[in-house]
Amino acid sequence: MLLYPLANGNAWTYKMKDGNTYSNTVTGVDGDVFTMLNSAANLASQVKFDGSNYSTNAYTAGKFDVFLKENPAVGDTWEIHFTANTIQSILVMTVRETALTQEVEGKTYQNVVMLEADSKMNMNGNIMSLNFITKYYYAPGTGLILTTSSYGDYHGLVACDLK
């Protein structure tokens, strides 16, 4: 079962800590490339799935970076390199747990995969940690169910419409 089921029209609605909601919706498909629209940012990005890895151009236009692996193992690590506000940035992605049971907004999900993203920056050739950790929770057959951060961010899945 896919960790992030992608099909035209699929939509996920998330509630943030402040109670506001937003949706991510697949608005188009071209081969193995899915166009996603985030209603909060009103920005479209693309996601590719090659059977093993999910990648997106959301970090750098025209460049696809792996953000999720279909069959992750605890300890798997990879990096996403991008520029944010002229600063060379790095997300060190690590699979921390698999086979989790996770409750989100009153619903319990099984076999959840949790990834941690450690934010770093490259300052004059020196890699410096920003001491900012984001956790992403993916449930098979549903997709991203929860995002939290060390700064207290919360984005919990409240509804999904999967085709």
Side-chain angles (χ1 to χ4, degrees):
M1 188 175 297
L2 297 175
L3 276 178
Y4 200 11
L6 297 168
N8 197 29
N10 281 6
W12 299 262
T13 302
Y14 300 94
K15 182 169 93 175
M16 298 181 291
K17 185 168 68 171
D18 65 7
N20 288 323
T21 62
Y22 67 93
S23 296
N24 286 328
T25 304
V26 178
T27 59
V29 180
D30 184 8
D32 65 348
V33 178
F34 300 82
T35 300
M36 307 268 303
L37 179 65
N38 178 300
S39 67
N42 199 27
L43 290 175
S45 61
Q46 293 179 317
V47 173
K48 279 186 187 181
F49 179 58
D50 66 9
S52 298
N53 297 316
Y54 298 86
S55 56
T56 183
N57 68 353
Y59 297 101
T60 304
K63 177 179 168 251
F64 282 83
D65 294 290
V66 173
F67 68 91
L68 177 64
K69 297 182 179 217
E70 180 57 28
N71 295 302
V74 172
D76 284 353
T77 300
W78 64 95
E79 294 182 353
I80 300 170
H81 293 257
F82 61 100
T83 301
N85 299 319
T86 72
I87 297 171
Q88 293 178 342
S89 303
I90 304 165
L91 287 178
V92 178
M93 306 295 290
T94 303
V95 177
R96 291 290 181 207
E97 297 187 57
T98 61
L100 277 174
T101 298
Q102 183 69 44
E103 184 178 323
V104 180
E105 296 294 320
K107 183 169 181 179
T108 302
Y109 298 89
Q110 304 295 325
N111 297 313
V112 171
V113 171
M114 190 271 280
L115 306 174
E116 273 187 2
D118 184 3
S119 298
K120 299 180 181 220
M121 67 180 193
N122 184 335
M123 188 64 89
N124 300 320
N126 295 312
I127 307 300
M128 299 171 41
S129 177
L130 299 176
N131 296 315
F132 181 75
I133 302 291
T134 305
K135 294 181 180 181
Y136 300 96
Y137 297 80
Y138 289 88
T142 302
L144 182 65
I145 59 168
L146 178 64
T147 305
T148 63
S149 81
S150 55
Y151 288 175
D153 297 312
Y154 172 89
H155 301 252
L157 184 68
V158 292
C160 65
D161 181 14
L162 303 178
K163 307 297 180 202

